Amino acid sequence: MLRRRSFWIAAAAVAYTAFAALRASGGHGPAWLALLGLPALLALGFRWVERPPRGEDRIEPAARSAAAVCLTGAAMLAAARSGPTGLALIALGNLGAAMASMAALVGLARIAGLGGLLEPPPSTRRLDAAAFASLFWTVAVALPAVSAVAPSRAEGLDPLLVHYATSAASLGSLAVTLVALARLRIARRLELGVADRVEAALLLSATALAVGVAAAFVGVASPEAILPVTSAIAAVCVAFCTVAADAAQVSRALRLTLALAALATPPALLAVYAVHEAPRGDLGLRGAPQSSIGVAVFAACAICALAGLAAPALARRFAPEGARWLGAFDAATRAAMNPEPEAALETALSALREASDAAMTGQAPPALYLLSPPERVTVDRAGYAHTEPSQVPARLIELAQVEPERVLRVEAAEAVEIRRPEVRPLLAWLAERDVGVVALVNDAEGPIGALAIPRGRRASPMTLEEVNGLRALADRLGAVIAVSAMLSGSRGREVAARREAEERAREVARLERAVAQSAGRFRAIAALLARPARAAAYSPAARAAIEQLERLGEAGGPVTLLTAPGIDAVAWGAVVHLSSARAAGPLAIVDGAAPAPEAFAQAFAQARGAAPERGGAAPAAGDDGTPRALALWRDPDSSPIEAARGGTLLILDAQALSAEVQSYLGAALPDDVGLVVAVPQTVDALVATGQMSERLADRLGDRAIALPSLASRAEDLRALALDHLARIGVRLRGRPFGLDLRALQAVLDHPWPGNDAEMGAVLLRAALVAEGDVVGDKELSAIGFASQAAPSERPEGVWSEPRRPRRRRANKAG
């Protein structure tokens, strides 16, 4: 709201002046253009002045307000000059010139620096220059104003006094402006941004004064008419320099303006002088045709146009002493665009070395100091990089962080050396290495290094353009170093990953060998357990049972073994396990009829390295210990289910387990565990009598195989007996026992109601009483063994398979 109100006040003042000029001209002339166009131009000027720059706004509000007043005064002067010469319009024009001059001096005292070590002296913020200039303009405004308002009081006043006062005020304000600029340039020459702005304002004001005096001398206009305009133009130039967003842009505009003024002003003034002097014959052109004068004006315009084309080339000649560094920074930045980080770093440092005095005097070259690892990177004349250990002071990094553009200049540090003692060690470190400026190199996480530029023989301070160029180079080097570190880190991670992969591969191979060894041990143990079933499987009953068990094992489902008393169900269960897809896994055997179900759990826990629980009160249980047994089956450290992971769980006399355990097995048995149960009756019969849980019965299904008894394996008896005696003899005497014909006949004639267990016990007792290596009828009689040719029928409910007739074979004893 305040800015809008200020603009309307300024626009009203300009419109009033333009309306006065229009009224004085009788409604004709350029006053119409002033009335219509100047408020619009003033609006654009206000918008430019009050527009916030990109990034941090370092322009003080007082400087912006002063610039707006300066533009208003210049617009009032232009509006007053659009009408005929009169005392009222002269007063209004001088008032506008006074506003512009004093506002420019106020803005000059409010120039803000970029911060850092340097602080502006308090004397540079005083408004004594603006107050001194107001003395000149007070007289220049009061004389014509009094003459216009009260002509009676101005009788006897020489009209030339008004013109003299106007010219004197213009020259005086210009002189005050130049002095103030020169003093400010000396006092703040080391401050980045301020020195560039003040130098530009000084040169532009001096150029405006020179052009205005020259124009008045050649007769372009009278001094009292042209000098106020010159003063207003100089004030506008000063205001532009104080509020421009980019001080480096001000320096570039200054060089271009000086180049244009140097090339175009002489021919333009010469053409004006020729036009003014030709009618009076001062140039010997009396009576010359008007076409000759037109040719002279056209030639002057053509020369000015050519001067505009040549101005950029001449502007480069006006660059400061460090202009070579601008080119070096640009070249180094372009060189750092190389996709190879190491090559980019070498070429960038080489470009800096060529621009430094080190290329000719052998002084210290530009160097890049890295923080981690602490190293110093330089490039020799041949363009090869050299790296050596070097530590950068931590205080140097801290000071560079708070400097403008993160660039620490030696001249700035030297200026504050007296009042800031902590800077002195850094100056000694920099002087030892002949460093003139240090630019902090950052990546996304913070400082990673510092770029040091040698001081050499340079005497002038570093400009903001050079600092900006150095900042761009440091940022590019930071990106290069970050990419190099990223590639190095990627390479390191790749090597580490490759080593880890190799270690993992070796570990996998070791584990595979261990698994293969474990699988081999499991297979060997299972084959050893299955040997009694396969050792003498010559009878049709045994062969048919093995084939059915192998087929069910390959199918992978639960298998039920119907066993008569004395049959070795472990051997037949091992046959199922070896034919299944889990043959490489363990074969866990649980005896459901064992009086202490905790024994298996404790043994398994010790095998896994887990200490079984000792002490403490056991859970309440009946005589069968049901809660304790169920807890053991559920325990992940001691459960037989966990022992059978990846293999087969063989449960002998599953009907002897508690109902809770049977139900748990039917519901919780995982898919990676095969199940084989041995029961004395069919599943349906056990469920009917309440000995088996329906859930376990549903899990087992109808995959039941009746194991053949010895009564149905007449063809296998001889081989089984000899196998038993061979193992007993080797165990007892180190050599196998034999069996004579009469003893063999007795073995073949016996029905063996106790099956494998009975045969093993009889033959063991006979071997114990045998005196030689052959078991005969004598030994069998000694232990009370008597063959029964016609065995009685088995009790009902113990074995349901019909007994087949035995074939008598009289073989020679082995």
Side-chain angles (χ1 to χ4, degrees):
M1 180 64 69
L2 181 61
R3 293 180 180 180
R4 188 175 301 176
R5 184 182 304 173
S6 301
F7 166 72
W8 288 116
I9 293 174
V14 173
Y16 174 79
T17 306
F19 183 77
L22 182 63
R23 183 178 180 182
S25 61
H28 303 286
W32 280 107
L33 297 177
L35 182 60
L36 298 177
L38 286 178
L41 294 177
L42 187 63
L44 295 177
F46 265 67
R47 185 173 182 181
W48 177 82
V49 167
E50 297 178 355
R51 179 184 57 191
R54 296 179 181 177
E56 185 177 0
D57 187 7
R58 294 183 177 272
I59 307 300
E60 293 189 10
R64 295 188 182 278
S65 301
V69 174
C70 181
L71 293 178
T72 304
M76 288 181 61
L77 177 61
R81 293 303 174 88
S82 65
T85 303
L87 293 175
L89 291 179
I90 292 175
L92 290 175
N94 290 349
L95 178 60
M99 291 171 57
S101 298
M102 290 186 292
L105 292 173
V106 171
L108 194 61
R110 296 294 183 266
I111 291 182
L114 299 180
L117 293 173
L118 299 176
E119 297 179 359
S123 60
T124 60
R125 301 183 63 84
R126 294 199 298 262
L127 301 178
D128 50 354
F132 192 68
S134 65
L135 298 177
F136 295 102
W137 286 111
T138 300
V139 178
V141 173
L143 283 177
V146 171
S147 300
V149 174
S152 58
R153 295 186 179 182
E155 292 181 0
L157 184 65
D158 190 352
L160 293 179
L161 289 178
V162 175
H163 302 314
Y164 292 155
T166 301
S167 301
S170 300
L171 292 175
S173 64
L174 282 171
V176 170
T177 301
L178 293 176
V179 171
L181 287 170
R183 185 183 65 178
L184 191 61
R185 183 176 182 273
I186 295 173
R188 305 181 67 177
R189 66 185 185 90
L190 296 180
E191 294 186 52
L192 284 177
V194 176
D196 299 85
R197 295 177 188 273
V198 173
E199 184 176 5
L202 177 61
L203 293 177
L204 289 175
S205 299
T207 302
L209 177 60
V211 172
V213 172
F217 178 78
V218 300
V220 174
S222 60
E224 66 274 8
I226 200 170
L227 289 180
V229 176
T230 302
S231 177
I233 292 175
V236 171
C237 292
V238 172
F240 164 76
C241 294
T242 56
V243 298
D246 187 4
Q249 183 181 4
V250 173
S251 298
R252 290 189 291 269
L254 166 67
R255 292 197 294 270
L256 185 60
T257 302
L258 292 179
L260 285 172
L263 293 175
T265 300
L269 292 179
L270 183 60
V272 172
Y273 179 74
V275 170
H276 278 272
E277 296 297 331
R280 296 193 295 269
D282 295 341
L283 294 176
L285 298 175
R286 182 179 297 276
Q290 295 294 328
S291 59
S292 300
I293 299 175
V295 170
V297 174
F298 178 78
C301 293
I303 293 174
C304 292
L306 294 176
L309 296 177
L314 182 61
R316 288 192 290 270
R317 297 289 182 178
F318 293 150
E321 177 187 354
R324 71 175 190 272
W325 282 109
L326 293 175
F329 294 153
D330 292 340
T333 303
R334 290 192 299 270
M337 297 293 181
N338 194 311
E340 293 293 335
E342 295 182 359
L345 187 61
E346 291 180 0
T347 51
L349 292 178
S350 297
L352 293 179
R353 181 185 177 89
E354 292 177 0
S356 66
D357 296 334
M360 299 176 292
T361 62
Q363 296 178 354
L368 177 63
Y369 291 87
L370 300 178
L371 300 184
S372 181
E375 295 177 344
R376 177 176 178 264
V377 182
T378 57
V379 174
D380 57 16
R381 294 183 180 181
Y384 295 102
H386 299 274
T387 303
E388 59 184 3
S390 182
Q391 188 76 31
V392 178
R395 186 59 179 169
L396 178 64
I397 303 300
E398 296 176 2
L399 290 179
Q401 283 275 41
V402 298
E403 281 294 289
E405 302 295 337
R406 298 192 298 274
V407 175
L408 178 62
R409 297 166 296 140
V410 172
E411 59 262 18
E414 291 175 345
V416 298
E417 179 181 5
I418 298 177
R419 55 189 175 89
R420 299 192 64 172
E422 71 273 12
V423 179
R424 297 170 190 170
L426 298 180
L427 287 175
W429 188 86
L430 295 172
E432 182 181 355
R433 292 158 178 79
D434 192 27
V435 177
V437 61
V438 175
L440 203 59
V441 179
N442 286 11
D443 63 359
E445 297 181 356
I448 59 175
L451 179 61
I453 305 299
R455 190 168 191 173
R457 296 172 295 181
R458 178 168 181 166
S460 62
M462 199 171 189
T463 63
L464 183 59
E465 282 185 276
E466 295 174 283
V467 170
N468 290 338
L470 183 58
R471 174 76 268 141
L473 175 59
D475 290 342
R476 182 57 192 170
L477 291 180
V480 169
I481 296 174
V483 171
S484 178
M486 187 182 302
L487 293 177
S488 177
S490 177
R491 176 61 179 171
R493 289 191 296 271
E494 179 183 358
V495 173
R498 187 174 299 174
R499 292 177 180 174
E500 184 178 359
E502 293 175 356
E503 293 178 359
R504 294 285 179 85
R506 289 193 293 268
E507 182 67 15
V508 168
R510 186 187 66 80
L511 293 177
E512 288 178 349
R513 289 194 298 270
V515 170
Q517 293 175 358
S518 299
R521 288 195 295 269
F522 289 144
R523 287 179 182 272
I525 294 173
L528 182 63
L529 295 176
R531 183 180 178 279
R534 295 182 181 274
Y538 303 113
S539 63
R543 295 182 63 85
I546 290 177
E547 291 177 358
Q548 293 179 7
L549 293 176
E550 290 178 345
R551 184 173 62 255
L552 292 178
E554 292 177 358
V559 178
T560 303
L561 304 179
L562 302 179
T563 62
I567 295 180
D568 185 9
V570 174
W572 302 95
V575 171
V576 177
H577 172 69
L578 289 174
S579 61
S580 68
R582 306 179 183 89
L587 175 61
I589 304 173
V590 177
D591 189 358
E598 304 94 331
F600 178 89
Q602 292 181 355
F604 176 55
Q606 293 175 358
R608 294 186 59 182
E613 296 183 1
R614 297 180 182 271
D623 296 337
D624 58 351
T626 297
R628 176 180 290 275
L630 182 59
L632 291 175
W633 279 89
R634 289 179 174 177
D635 189 356
D637 293 329
S638 58
S639 173
I641 296 176
E642 294 298 325
R645 285 282 183 180
T648 303
L649 177 62
L650 174 60
I651 304 178
L652 306 177
D653 294 322
Q655 79 286 351
L657 297 174
S658 64
E660 289 78 4
V661 174
Q662 293 184 30
S663 179
Y664 177 75
L665 283 173
L669 192 70
D671 295 335
D672 60 343
V673 176
L675 178 61
V676 179
V677 298
V679 291
Q681 293 179 318
T682 61
V683 172
D684 295 339
L686 293 174
V687 172
T689 58
Q691 299 182 64
M692 180 172 286
S693 169
E694 293 185 359
R695 181 174 293 179
L696 179 58
D698 293 340
R699 184 67 178 265
L700 294 175
D702 58 353
R703 292 176 290 275
I705 300 295
L707 299 182
S709 63
L710 292 185
S712 63
R713 299 175 61 185
E715 295 85 353
D716 302 334
L717 293 178
R718 175 180 176 274
L720 288 173
L722 293 178
D723 181 70
H724 277 294
L725 287 175
R727 287 188 284 117
I728 292 172
V730 171
R731 187 181 305 119
L732 295 179
R733 300 182 181 180
R735 54 187 182 275
F737 280 105
L739 190 66
D740 65 7
L741 292 178
R742 295 179 62 86
L744 176 61
Q745 187 63 43
V747 169
L748 295 177
D749 290 340
H750 190 69
W752 301 108
N755 293 300
D756 299 325
E758 182 184 1
M759 177 179 285
V762 169
L763 296 178
L764 175 60
R765 290 168 58 201
L768 290 175
V769 300
E771 297 178 356
D773 295 336
V774 177
V775 175
D777 187 58
K778 177 183 176 181
E779 285 77 14
L780 294 178
S781 299
I783 63 174
F785 176 75
S787 174
Q788 300 178 6
S792 60
E793 295 183 0
R794 301 181 184 277
E796 186 177 357
V798 176
W799 181 246
S800 59
E801 182 182 356
R803 180 168 54 84
R804 300 179 182 179
R806 297 192 302 273
R807 295 175 56 188
R808 298 181 181 272
R809 300 177 60 183
N811 296 332
K812 186 176 181 180

